[in-house]
Amino acid sequence: RNALNRATLAPVGAIWSSVLRTHRGIRLHSQDGNHAAISGSFLAALVLYHALDAKADLRQCPFLPAGVSADLAVILRQEALRG
């Protein structure tokens, strides 16, 4: 939270960049290279959710979007918690 204006920051871009840098095999962009793939949208949603409710344990989130494997979801949930 920003003390000046009580705004909440959701570091989607920073987490996205971190995932691309540290997990070279994970594809977050769609084939056009400009839009999010399902995995990228899921990561963004997880980061937003964590920013809004920092007490929520994303590792217990039961939602798994079609096209995202359970193993990939574990990684994305862990990365979102870094935000």
Side-chain angles (χ1 to χ4, degrees):
R1 275 199 180 272
N2 180 312
L4 180 62
N5 61 15
R6 297 177 42 188
T8 299
L9 175 66
V12 174
I15 299 297
W16 183 294
S17 294
S18 174
V19 169
L20 291 176
R21 196 172 47 254
T22 59
H23 301 280
R24 300 266 180 200
I26 293 179
R27 201 178 103 231
L28 299 178
H29 291 93
S30 65
Q31 290 182 353
D32 70 8
N34 294 314
H35 295 90
I38 296 297
S39 55
S41 294
F42 185 50
L43 176 62
L46 289 167
V47 173
L48 286 169
Y49 184 59
H50 181 60
L52 295 173
D53 185 0
K55 294 179 184 176
D57 186 355
L58 297 178
R59 294 168 296 188
Q60 301 303 317
C61 174
F63 180 70
L64 184 62
V68 175
S69 70
D71 290 340
L72 177 55
V74 167
I75 293 168
L76 296 178
R77 288 179 181 123
Q78 289 172 339
E79 292 296 328
L81 287 170
R82 296 178 192 267

